[in-house]
């Protein structure tokens, strides 16, 4: 029986290694795809034709997004051509670098199997592969959260021996935290949550309390000015948050986005329940010291609590935001798989089965990606090549980005040397949409709610069905309507 278990383990790990290696390489296969709407903003904030002072003053200080990624991309674009391939390459390289990073930063007490399981999950996650090359801060945030989480586990190991970690180890943790704090708000939250958990353990073991408190306070002091700036922007008159998907529906969509189909989700729920029950019965007296479990569980639960509180004002239940938290989720999952493998060796087959499912999800994404769902590219091709338009109206009310970035974003896919004029739609110039040339109205982030908002705010009625270019962009041909005023 032991021989059979050994064969199953070896075969399962070998198959998992092949699948993880395949998904690792897939991070570099879709670099050629066109830029999505949010990626166009990243491009505009890193455009080498603008000075950094102009970008900082006219774009970054007028936007709520954290600025570190834009600064890095700005330097990258001064070295390499400003094309989709090269800009995607930056994020893909960082995503790929995360895999050897988690292997080498894993706590020394982990054996090769535990280290392999977590690394394979990080390499094989189809959500991380899908967003590996996206020209946003996500790949950087995943790297930062992976690093600070594994650094925290090593710090907790030292604290549990009633020793204070070295200054070098603490410095690396806080530097990584500061890096995470200026990449994405979810990675910011995860650093401070992680620091809180480390502080609780430091208090319990009565060592390192002052260091973790002061170090976290320094990072918070460095981060606070931007938070204050963001709160002011979000509280300004006329500002609004456009994302309004109900939390229950959004939660299910987030779970599918991160982990896959209903079948995979169902299997993971069963796995977590079985592993969780086994862990509780096995370690019920020493659970507090199982930091591989307690740290990612604490990160996850506290983050969800923070998001729930903030979402009473600004709905943060958006699938791609949770990419920054995926290392914590996968660390929990890896602990569950490792525990089941230790208690019931044959259950190691769950790892290659999960990775196989994720490969299938990736293949479905690759098939859809062949059509390049970049709505703005298709919309501009239609407006400039089919309709030969040289002037268009753009509804910028809910774009979420500063005006200085919009012209470059909306003309990026116009034919080279094509004279195209972009006019922001206002109540004062709305008549241009239904008189004279009857200019088309380009509506970015074109949800049903946004379309209704545009029509009611500017008193426009549809002359014909709006033209839909992928889920994010539509073009409205208007006839005169009546402006609807709020009571």
């Amino acid at each position: 029986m032991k021989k059979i278990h050994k064969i199953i383990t070896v075969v399962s790990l070998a198959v998992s290694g092949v699948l993880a290696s395949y998904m690792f390489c897939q991070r570099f296969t879709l670099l050629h795809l066109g830029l999505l709407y949010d990626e166009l903003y990243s491009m505009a904030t890193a455009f080498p034709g603008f000075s950094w002072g102009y970008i900082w003053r006219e774009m970054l200080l007028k936007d709520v997004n954290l600025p570190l990624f834009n600064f890095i991309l700005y330097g990258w674009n001064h070295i390499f051509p400003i094309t989709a391939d090269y800009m995607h390459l930056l994020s893909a390289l960082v995503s790929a670098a995360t895999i050897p990073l988690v292997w080498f930063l894993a706590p020394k007490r982990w054996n090769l199997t535990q280290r392999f399981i977590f690394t394979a999950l990080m390499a094989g996650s189809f959500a991380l592969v899908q967003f590996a090359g996206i020209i946003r801060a996500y790949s950087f945030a995943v790297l930062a959260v992976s690093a600070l989480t594994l650094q925290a586990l090593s710090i907790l190991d030292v604290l549990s021996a009633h020793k204070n970690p070295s200054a070098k180890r603490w410095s690396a943790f806080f530097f990584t935290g500061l890096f995470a704090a200026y990449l994405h708000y979810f990675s910011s939250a995860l650093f401070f949550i992680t620091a809180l958990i480390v502080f609780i353990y430091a208090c319990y073991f009565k060592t390192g309390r002052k260091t973790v408190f002061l170090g976290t306070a320094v990072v918070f002091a460095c981060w606070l000015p931007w938070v204050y700036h963001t709160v002011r922007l979000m509280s300004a008159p006329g500002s609004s948050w456009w994302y309004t998907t109900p939390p229950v529906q959004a939660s299910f969509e987030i779970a599918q986005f991160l982990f896959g189909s209903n079948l995979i989700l169902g299997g993971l729920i069963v796995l977590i329940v079985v592993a969780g029950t086994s862990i509780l019965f096995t370690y019920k007296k020493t659970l507090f010291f199982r930091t591989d479990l307690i740290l990612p569980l604490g990160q996850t639960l506290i983050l969800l609590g923070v998001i729930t509180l903030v979402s009473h004002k600004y709905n943060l239940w958006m699938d791609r935001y949770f990419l920054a938290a995926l290392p914590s989720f996968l660390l929990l999952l890896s602990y569950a798989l490792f525990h089941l493998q230790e208690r019931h060796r044959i259950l190691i087959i769950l790892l290659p089965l999960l990775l196989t499912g994720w490969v299938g999800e990736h293949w479905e994404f690759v098939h859809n990606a062949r059509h390049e769902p970049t709505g703005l590219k298709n919309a501009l091709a239609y407006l400039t090549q089919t309709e030969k338009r040289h002037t268009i109206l753009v509804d910028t009310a809910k774009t979420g980005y500063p005006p200085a970035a919009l012209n470059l974003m909306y003309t990026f896919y116009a034919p080279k040397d094509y004279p195209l004029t972009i006019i922001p739609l206002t109540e004062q110039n709305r008549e241009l949409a239904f008189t004279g040339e009857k200019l088309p109205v380009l509506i970015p982030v074109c949800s049903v709610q946004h379309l209704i908002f545009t029509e009611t705010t500017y008193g426009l009625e549809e002359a014909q069905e709006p033209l839909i270019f992928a889920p994010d962009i539509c073009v409205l041909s208007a006839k005169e309507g009546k402006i609807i005023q709020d009571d």
Side-chain angles (χ1 to χ4, degrees), residues 65-76:
N65 288 291
L66 291 156
L68 181 55
F69 171 73
N70 309 87
F71 177 76
I72 296 171
L73 183 61
Y74 184 73
W76 176 271

Side-chain angles (χ1 to χ4, degrees), residues 3 67 96 146 164 296 300 311 376 391 410 453 469:
K3 187 175 181 180
S146 301
N164 194 3
T300 300
S311 292
L376 188 58
T391 306
Y410 296 142
F453 172 85
F469 298 91

Side-chain angles (χ1 to χ4, degrees), residues 142-199:
V142 168
L143 181 142
V145 171
S146 301
L148 68 87
T149 299
L150 294 176
Q151 287 170 337
L153 285 176
S154 296
I155 288 173
L156 292 176
D157 287 346
V158 177
L159 292 176
S160 66
H162 298 279
K163 296 179 181 178
N164 194 3
S166 66
K168 182 178 179 181
R169 192 184 293 273
W170 279 123
S171 297
F173 176 67
F174 293 126
F175 177 80
T176 306
L178 182 59
F179 183 69
Y182 269 94
L183 285 170
H184 193 276
Y185 286 107
F186 276 43
S187 60
S188 305
L190 282 165
F191 166 71
F192 293 112
I193 291 168
T194 304
L196 172 63
I197 295 171
V198 172
F199 180 73

